[in-house]
Each structure stands twice: as C-alpha cells, then as structure tokens.
Amino acid sequence: MVFAKRLREGVRRGDITCSVRIWQRPHVRVGGRYRMNEGEIEIDSIVQIGFPDITPELARQSGFLGVLDLLKIAKHGKGENIYLVRFHYIPPRPAKGQPSKIKARQP
C-alpha cells in the first residue's frame, strides 16, 4: 500500500491507522505486511463500506482535511468498491551489527 507523501509521517507516528481505498478488488490482505520507505505496515482489517460511511471524522482519522480531500486521493484506477483498511505501523529493525536504540536496564 502506498501513501501520499504528506501522510507518511502520520503513519509512522501512529496518528494515521486507517485508509479508505476505492479499488475493483482488495489489493491487501489481513495480516499482510507492506513496506514503506522506513518500516512497514501490517493490515489489521479490511471491510467494504459505502459512500455514506465516509464521514468527516473518518477522513480526519485517515489523515485528510475532509471527505473531498480524501476522495481526491482514494480512487485507484477503475475501482468502484470502497474499502476501509485498518493497519498499524511496524518500525524498521536495526541492521545486524548495529546498536539498538533501546537501552538495557542497569542492574
């Protein structure tokens, strides 16, 4: 799943945990992990919804100013089915041999 550049930081911070997509068929699966520039997202759920379900609140949860702002980005290709995709962000793991940013407890 690809996010508009302006949304990526919100996804990484955990502020954005859902996305509305207009597809012919689902392009992701529950439990699937999808790479971002840094880290990845894991899909928690995907549910088909209707236009009345796209509320201003849902648009804001998805990182948009409002419904019209969301709809400008949500449509991908010839799709007519609307999906609400919920996910969580997984930060990148430190490369082998790289020190972890997590400090060990001192005894």
Side-chain angles (χ1 to χ4, degrees):
M1 240 170 74
V2 178
F3 295 93
K5 286 183 183 180
R6 67 185 177 124
L7 301 178
R8 293 176 191 163
E9 184 59 33
V11 171
R12 283 192 290 270
R13 283 193 316 261
D15 297 336
I16 299 172
T17 58
C18 66
S19 181
V20 173
R21 301 293 171 119
I22 302 174
W23 291 324
Q24 286 184 314
R25 59 179 171 68
H27 291 222
V28 297
R29 63 178 177 77
V30 173
R33 289 188 177 188
Y34 301 90
R35 286 182 180 256
M36 294 182 56
N37 287 349
E38 292 182 18
E40 54 192 5
I41 60 164
E42 183 173 343
I43 306 302
D44 298 320
S45 67
I46 180 166
V47 178
Q48 191 166 354
I49 62 173
F51 275 111
D53 298 314
I54 304 174
T55 63
E57 176 62 26
L58 180 58
R60 285 189 295 278
Q61 289 175 10
S62 301
F64 293 95
L65 299 174
V67 174
L68 292 178
D69 188 32
L70 180 149
L71 291 175
K72 289 178 192 176
I73 303 291
K75 188 165 175 93
H76 296 272
K78 297 178 181 179
E80 295 181 4
N81 298 312
I82 306 167
Y83 298 95
L84 174 59
V85 181
R86 294 202 179 272
F87 56 85
H88 63 275
Y89 176 70
I90 301 171
R93 293 183 187 156
K96 287 186 177 182
Q98 295 290 323
S100 174
K101 293 183 179 182
I102 300 173
K103 295 183 179 181
R105 284 188 176 172
Q106 296 294 327

